Amino acid sequence: MQCLKLSNEEVLKMKTNDVILKSLSIIISGCIFLLSLSLYFGGHFLPGGGFVGGLLCTMALALAMFTYGVDKVNKLLPINYVYVAALGLLFSVGTAFSGIIAGKNFFKHHFTHIHVPLMGEMELHTAAIFDLGVYLIVVGVLMSVILAFGKDGK
């Protein structure tokens, strides 16, 4: 038997058939993103929250970038992830100071009940805003790190 040996140039010229990967990547990324939102929204009452939701959202974005390439995903979603992290920090710090603004203690939790059409009575609380800040910080920082390492010397 003869062993097949390919040079680096021949390997780079080979066309890959990644139709299955690209097809499944869309479905899996969407499911992971929906799970991240579910964990975020249930985080105050159930296990989960902003940190785990942010990790899963980053994983969905990274899967799309690994499958389709960074340039294609950045063209589709032109997001500066440093600004996303800064916005998350603003939400989190703003939630901490909302107690002082309301005349209560620092980081005091506030909530109210609102009526949402088609969904009924819901609680609106500052913990959800804080979790949103954590979610955005995690996505912003991790995606910035992934893109910094993935620039490939450019």
Side-chain angles (χ1 to χ4, degrees), residues 94-121:
T95 303
F97 282 103
S98 69
I100 294 174
I101 293 170
K104 305 209 181 199
N105 294 336
F106 178 73
F107 234 132
K108 179 70 177 170
H109 175 65
H110 309 289
F111 68 93
T112 185
H113 292 276
I114 60 171
H115 181 76
V116 178
L118 299 175
M119 294 182 75
E121 195 74 18

Side-chain angles (χ1 to χ4, degrees), residues 87-141:
L87 181 66
L89 189 61
L90 183 69
F91 281 159
S92 296
V93 171
T95 303
F97 282 103
S98 69
I100 294 174
I101 293 170
K104 305 209 181 199
N105 294 336
F106 178 73
F107 234 132
K108 179 70 177 170
H109 175 65
H110 309 289
F111 68 93
T112 185
H113 292 276
I114 60 171
H115 181 76
V116 178
L118 299 175
M119 294 182 75
E121 195 74 18
M122 294 182 69
E123 280 187 4
L124 181 64
H125 45 83
T126 54
I129 299 169
F130 180 78
D131 275 346
L132 177 63
V134 172
Y135 186 95
L136 292 175
I137 289 170
V138 169
V139 170
V141 169

Side-chain angles (χ1 to χ4, degrees), residues 76-92:
L76 183 65
L77 296 171
I79 298 172
N80 187 343
Y81 293 103
V82 174
Y83 292 152
V84 171
L87 181 66
L89 189 61
L90 183 69
F91 281 159
S92 296

Side-chain angles (χ1 to χ4, degrees), residues 21-121:
L21 174 67
K22 288 185 176 184
S23 299
L24 287 177
S25 172
I26 294 171
I27 297 167
I28 292 171
S29 291
C31 290
I32 292 171
F33 180 69
L34 289 176
L35 179 62
S36 81
L37 289 179
S38 174
L39 286 172
Y40 162 69
F41 283 115
H44 185 62
F45 300 110
L46 301 169
F51 186 76
V52 176
L55 287 174
L56 285 175
C57 180
T58 304
M59 191 170 85
L61 288 170
L63 177 63
M65 286 184 175
F66 293 149
T67 304
Y68 293 101
V70 174
D71 294 333
K72 284 187 180 181
V73 175
N74 280 339
K75 187 184 245 184
L76 183 65
L77 296 171
I79 298 172
N80 187 343
Y81 293 103
V82 174
Y83 292 152
V84 171
L87 181 66
L89 189 61
L90 183 69
F91 281 159
S92 296
V93 171
T95 303
F97 282 103
S98 69
I100 294 174
I101 293 170
K104 305 209 181 199
N105 294 336
F106 178 73
F107 234 132
K108 179 70 177 170
H109 175 65
H110 309 289
F111 68 93
T112 185
H113 292 276
I114 60 171
H115 181 76
V116 178
L118 299 175
M119 294 182 75
E121 195 74 18

